[in-house]
Amino acid sequence: MKKSVFLISLFGVCSFSFGNINVESLDIYKNRTFVNQELNSFDNSVDLISNISLDEIRFVYDKNCTVSNTKVIRNNTSAQDISSKITNLKEKIAYSENEVKSIKTVLSSLENIRFEKEAVSLENIKQVSSYAKEELKTNYNTLYKLNLQLHKYKIELNTLRQTQKSQKHSILKYTTTCKNNSSVVINYAISNIHKNSFYEIKANSKDKNIDIKNMSFITQSSGYDFKDIDINLFTYNYTNQIKPTKFYPEYLDVYSNPPVAYMQSDAVMMEKSISKKARVLKKPSFSYSETATKSFFKASNITLVSGDKTPVVFANENYKTSSSIEIDGYANAKAFYKVEFLSDKLFSTLNTRLYLDEVFIARSYTNEIKKDKKTSMHFGEDRFIDVKKELIKDMKEEPFFTINKIKTQKEWKYTIINNHSEKKSISFIERIPVSKHEDIKVKLISKIKYTKKENNGKISYDFVLKPKEKISFIFGYEVEKPYKK
């Protein structure tokens, strides 16, 4: 018997926005997040996506608008009622899923009926076939209706879960009028935004450049979908302090109370104006802006579906680099690949994923990348540079000319081989002890001229090695100090 074929189209459960909110942008600092939400002048109330009071809201508008009769009230939605509805829907979904499984089992049995010629007559076969056909039709129709009902239950459950995640929302009551296409925007803090930010930094040894991608995975669980918004990512913490700490004199005998930083009111003092933008869906983009004192990255035309983790790119910069090999002779005597570049933007400290020639190197932590200042970064050990370190002298506290003085000496022999097929610039770093007393003398032992010697004892030797070239040299120091019995 030929099997009947039915096409049942089911849609995945999706997130639905609800309410009357119109989010324009988010301001994300390292420690706090603020939402900028436009008010509709034809309405007199709007849902807020945070449980806040009226004095925590900042109204932003120009002389073409007026705002009055403002009041914040609590949403009457009961968390207990939502939880009860979720439990009830879960039971309905489980019951419907069991019904679907049961009908599928019946359908499978009906479609696989077999007839033995010796057991039944031709008339019986016709009767059974007709019965099976009607049963198949009935059960497939029932299955179709059950799947539609199941899909409806899942949508309702998802909506309730989003409402539950949003916790308690407040409602803002207001009266506003605007002329000349002006608008009123409210700004307030929210806590249901989670951000996982990192850099993806890729160095290319052949093209001599570096790509720095600043991106975040952002999850908002407000219960609302934010469509076509701007996200301003600030590279610093939000703080209320707007001027230096008040000066207090310091007395040697009597001390005043500990100084207290002058704090502004709780109103949000943003350093940028909020302008109305066209609510037209566009391709996501990013930009970089600077105020008089700070900088921030902006991602535009972003949609954040409530409950979903959304990748957002805030910057994707490319800079020319110079590369070298740095050897830490003072530690493990290993060679590390290093690049240097000049950034035209300020990048704050952040977790980083490092790549060299498209090969993943490691997860690391990048310190602040200064604007217009040379930055150096390391991309792991260079196994083609062979470094050998041998201790050849270790003289400890031997008398020196007089019993009132002793000296120590340490010397190492370094051998460095370039196994690359191209020449390499080498920066060899060592150190000598730093004297903190005028009677302690430290003398460098080295037959090759150093490139740079710093007050902290750091000594650099820069040179170039051709392919397969080898260099050997002695490095050490001598310490002379008073002898104490």
Side-chain angles (χ1 to χ4, degrees):
M1 183 176 69
K2 185 177 180 181
K3 294 184 179 181
S4 301
V5 180
F6 285 76
L7 179 63
I8 301 175
S9 175
L10 295 177
F11 302 95
V13 179
C14 56
S15 175
F16 285 80
S17 59
F18 50 93
N20 57 339
I21 71 162
N22 186 9
V23 173
E24 280 200 340
S25 62
L26 297 176
D27 297 322
I28 301 179
Y29 294 81
K30 282 189 171 183
N31 59 341
R32 297 188 70 182
T33 298
F34 297 87
V35 64
N36 298 303
Q37 182 177 340
E38 184 179 347
L39 300 184
N40 190 334
S41 58
F42 297 103
D43 294 335
N44 59 9
S45 70
V46 66
D47 294 338
L48 305 177
I49 55 177
S50 187
N51 187 24
I52 59 174
S53 58
L54 183 62
D55 60 356
E56 295 177 274
I57 300 175
R58 184 170 69 104
F59 292 82
V60 182
Y61 55 93
D62 58 26
K63 62 182 180 180
N64 292 311
C65 295
T66 59
V67 179
S68 59
N69 303 323
T70 56
K71 179 175 67 173
V72 170
I73 60 175
R74 289 285 184 88
N75 195 322
N76 295 323
T77 303
S78 169
Q80 187 174 358
D81 290 344
I82 292 177
S83 180
S84 177
K85 289 178 181 179
I86 287 177
T87 301
N88 186 39
L89 272 174
K90 284 181 177 179
E91 292 176 354
K92 289 182 178 180
I93 289 173
Y95 177 81
S96 297
E97 287 177 340
N98 288 335
E99 285 287 299
V100 168
K101 290 178 182 178
S102 176
I103 292 177
K104 285 183 176 179
T105 301
V106 173
L107 288 171
S108 178
S109 300
L110 288 171
E111 291 175 342
N112 289 283
I113 292 177
R114 296 291 182 267
F115 299 98
E116 299 293 337
K117 292 183 179 179
E118 295 79 6
V120 294
S121 64
L122 182 61
E123 185 65 26
N124 286 336
I125 292 176
K126 290 181 179 180
Q127 290 177 357
V128 172
S129 297
S130 177
Y131 168 79
K133 183 178 179 180
E134 288 299 317
E135 284 296 304
L136 281 169
K137 179 179 177 181
T138 300
N139 280 277
Y140 269 117
N141 286 334
T142 303
L143 180 62
Y144 177 76
K145 292 178 181 179
L146 275 172
N147 278 320
L148 287 178
Q149 186 63 51
L150 186 60
H151 177 60
K152 180 181 177 182
Y153 287 155
K154 288 183 177 180
I155 291 177
E156 292 178 5
L157 178 62
N158 186 68
T159 303
L160 283 173
R161 280 174 170 167
Q162 298 298 338
T163 305
Q164 190 181 50
K165 285 181 181 179
S166 66
Q167 300 174 351
K168 294 179 180 179
H169 291 165
S170 300
I171 297 176
L172 172 66
K173 297 288 186 179
Y174 64 91
T175 300
T176 179
T177 57
C178 287
K179 299 182 295 183
N180 300 329
N181 294 322
S182 294
S183 63
V184 177
V185 173
I186 54 175
N187 174 280
Y188 54 91
I190 56 176
S191 59
N192 44 26
I193 301 285
H194 176 72
K195 169 180 63 71
N196 177 23
S197 297
F198 60 93
Y199 295 136
E200 187 179 82
I201 300 181
K202 297 181 177 181
N204 190 308
S205 64
K206 295 180 176 61
D207 296 338
K208 303 296 182 184
N209 59 32
I210 190 169
D211 290 320
I212 302 178
K213 182 181 288 186
N214 181 6
M215 63 184 300
S216 300
F217 285 105
I218 299 177
T219 305
Q220 61 93 358
S221 55
S222 66
Y224 302 83
D225 292 347
F226 304 161
K227 296 183 178 180
D228 194 25
I229 68 169
D230 290 340
I231 302 177
N232 302 308
L233 183 67
F234 295 88
T235 59
Y236 47 90
N237 286 336
Y238 171 82
T239 176
N240 283 326
Q241 185 170 351
I242 59 174
K243 64 180 183 180
T245 302
K246 186 176 180 179
F247 175 82
Y248 286 87
E250 183 178 353
Y251 298 101
L252 296 178
D253 51 346
V254 179
Y255 290 87
S256 61
N257 292 328
V260 179
Y262 178 81
M263 305 297 286
Q264 70 174 70
S265 65
D266 288 336
V268 181
M269 300 297 293
M270 295 297 180
E271 291 190 351
K272 60 182 184 61
S273 62
I274 304 170
S275 59
K276 185 176 180 180
K277 60 183 179 62
R279 308 299 287 176
V280 179
L281 291 176
K282 298 178 181 178
K283 184 179 178 180
S285 60
F286 51 82
S287 59
Y288 174 81
S289 299
E290 294 182 351
T291 65
T293 59
K294 296 178 177 67
S295 64
F296 64 94
F297 295 91
K298 173 185 284 188
S300 302
N301 313 314
I302 305 298
T303 294
L304 299 179
V305 176
S306 182
D308 287 358
K309 181 183 289 187
T310 304
V312 181
V313 176
F314 289 93
N316 193 3
E317 305 300 319
N318 181 273
Y319 302 108
K320 284 296 181 182
T321 63
S322 60
S323 63
S324 63
I325 307 299
E326 186 174 292
I327 300 174
D328 60 342
Y330 57 89
N332 298 314
K334 291 184 177 180
F336 295 90
Y337 186 83
K338 183 177 77 171
V339 301
E340 291 184 326
F341 62 94
L342 195 66
S343 171
D344 60 350
K345 296 175 176 61
L346 173 65
F347 292 89
S348 63
T349 55
L350 202 61
N351 290 322
T352 303
R353 300 172 185 176
L354 292 174
Y355 297 81
L356 178 60
D357 297 333
E358 296 299 331
V359 176
F360 176 71
I361 300 300
R363 293 179 183 268
S364 183
Y365 191 78
T366 297
N367 293 323
E368 186 176 71
I369 300 175
K370 298 285 189 180
K371 178 185 176 183
D372 297 330
K373 184 177 180 181
K374 186 173 288 187
T375 299
S376 62
M377 299 188 70
H378 296 86
F379 287 82
E381 185 180 355
D382 188 334
R383 303 299 294 273
F384 294 104
I385 302 295
D386 186 29
V387 183
K388 185 178 180 181
K389 180 179 182 179
E390 300 175 87
L391 179 62
I392 59 176
K393 180 180 284 189
D394 189 8
M395 189 176 72
K396 301 178 180 178
E397 299 190 349
E398 295 292 335
F400 181 57
F401 294 118
T402 172
I403 60 173
N404 294 325
K405 292 185 178 181
I406 59 173
K407 73 173 181 178
T408 61
Q409 279 188 347
K410 278 185 176 291
E411 292 183 18
W412 293 268
K413 179 181 179 182
Y414 285 96
T415 302
I416 304 172
I417 305 174
N418 176 19
N419 292 313
H420 283 276
S421 58
E422 58 185 6
K423 67 179 181 180
K424 291 293 180 180
S425 297
I426 308 292
S427 179
F428 175 82
I429 311 295
E430 251 293 2
R431 68 182 172 196
I432 61 174
V434 178
S435 173
K436 289 189 175 183
H437 195 281
E438 61 180 5
D439 290 334
I440 299 177
K441 309 296 183 183
V442 180
K443 177 183 176 183
L444 173 65
I445 301 174
S446 178
K447 293 183 178 180
I448 63 172
K449 180 63 177 176
Y450 57 78
T451 307
K452 185 178 181 182
K453 182 181 178 183
E454 301 179 36
N455 293 332
N456 60 3
K458 183 179 180 180
I459 300 178
S460 304
Y461 297 86
D462 297 337
F463 49 88
V464 176
L465 289 182
K466 297 177 182 178
K468 309 303 179 183
E469 186 178 1
K470 177 174 70 174
I471 184 174
S472 296
F473 56 89
I474 303 296
F475 174 87
Y477 56 83
E478 178 182 282
V479 178
E480 177 188 329
K481 60 183 180 180
Y483 175 70
K484 291 185 180 180
K485 294 183 181 181

